[in-house]
Amino acid sequence: MKRHNIQLDSNGKLRHFLSTEGLPRQLLVDILDTAESFAGVTEQSVKKVPLLRGRTIVNLFFEASTRTRTTFELAAKRLSADVLNLQIASSATAKGETILDTLANLEAMQCDMFVVRHAESGTAHFIAKHVAPHISVLNAGDGSHAHPTQAMLDMFTIRRCKGDFYPLNVAIVGDIKHSRVARSQIHALTTLGVHEVRVIGPKTLVPSEIKELGVHTYHDMRAGLRDVDVIIMLRLQNERMSGAMLPSEHEYYNRYGLTQEKLAYAKPDAMVMHPGPINRGVEIESSVADGPRSVILQQVTHGIAIRMAVMSMALSHSQPPQGAV
Ligand code: CP
């Protein structure tokens, strides 16, 4: 029997966006196509469409964020939704209120969507299981589990630069073990049908079970980068590391930092990506991060269109409140 995917409604439409794992290829393509239609909005002088007028979206960020929180807020505003940014540090959470009680209070204010970032894997999924039926939950990053909108903005950036996914060899480099971004990217890349996904990093940061996701593992960066079309660099997630998982940052940079010298092993038109925040001189040389092959800031721009797409698709399953125009 086919297992029910909590992310989809009974018609197979997106209701929550918690992970790229297990979603059909066509749904991922629909997200990319919908984002393409919104990309033009962000270039207009009046950067707004009335699609979510009368809807209320709450940003619940229990963990630090610059890019994800601000682009979710901009995306909601460009769709004409009302946006609440709950200040977690000064909220009743600090007095011991549970997440579910906080959410019940927000539901009582007739909110329509929760955007959730949390340090614990599974938090967004837990919330999605407990919210009222008309509410959608979007995962803005949970522990080392998933960061699906980051993965989709990365897919959008790759498709805009390279066209078809099928011929591409993609390398993901660095701290695979702790990376929710890498997991979400691997599921999206394999579902979209790229030729090969490689993961590159030290043995301590590349778990052996990652092979079960259909990727090839490399511990030698020059070998792993040979003939790749796309290089995705990852941040060292020091806050999630316990014990000595690394040699010194200097040695890590020598072996796995993306320098001009190592970049030369990839295809001459290989694109360089990083979800941010970047650590210059640890994961990547400044001349590469700021160079002509880097699309790091384009990724940030594309985050707005992708988040507009996911918000509008997820809220299309429920009706706007009575009287909304
Ligand atoms: N890429 C990303 O998630 O960045 P933030 O932590 O700044 O949101």
Side-chain angles (χ1 to χ4, degrees), residues 61 63-70 117 140 147 150 153 180-181 235 274-277 307:
F61 279 64
E63 197 191 53
S65 168
T66 297
R67 282 145 289 270
T68 311
R69 201 199 63 71
T70 50
R117 169 170 288 193
H147 194 349
Q150 176 68 47
L153 73 88
R180 55 195 176 205
V181 173
R235 183 175 70 84
H274 193 309
R307 288 169 178 132

Side-chain angles (χ1 to χ4, degrees), residues 216-286:
H216 299 258
T217 60
Y218 289 83
H219 303 297
D220 179 307
M221 187 155 174
R222 290 171 183 82
L225 288 184
R226 205 174 291 280
D227 294 330
V228 300
D229 302 277
V230 181
I231 305 169
I232 303 174
M233 300 304 298
L234 298 174
R235 183 175 70 84
L236 283 178
Q237 314 241 331
N238 288 314
E239 72 276 20
R240 297 189 214 285
M241 289 187 200
S242 54
M245 305 199 85
L246 274 182
S248 66
E249 281 190 349
H250 179 69
E251 192 182 336
Y252 179 82
Y253 182 62
N254 281 343
R255 293 188 61 192
Y256 298 105
L258 187 61
T259 56
Q260 296 288 358
E261 182 270 325
K262 294 195 197 83
L263 180 57
Y265 285 81
K267 285 189 181 165
D269 62 348
M271 58 194 279
V272 174
M273 307 176 73
H274 193 309
I278 63 173
N279 290 306
R280 295 168 186 268
V282 179
E283 301 118 28
I284 191 162
E285 190 171 65
S286 274

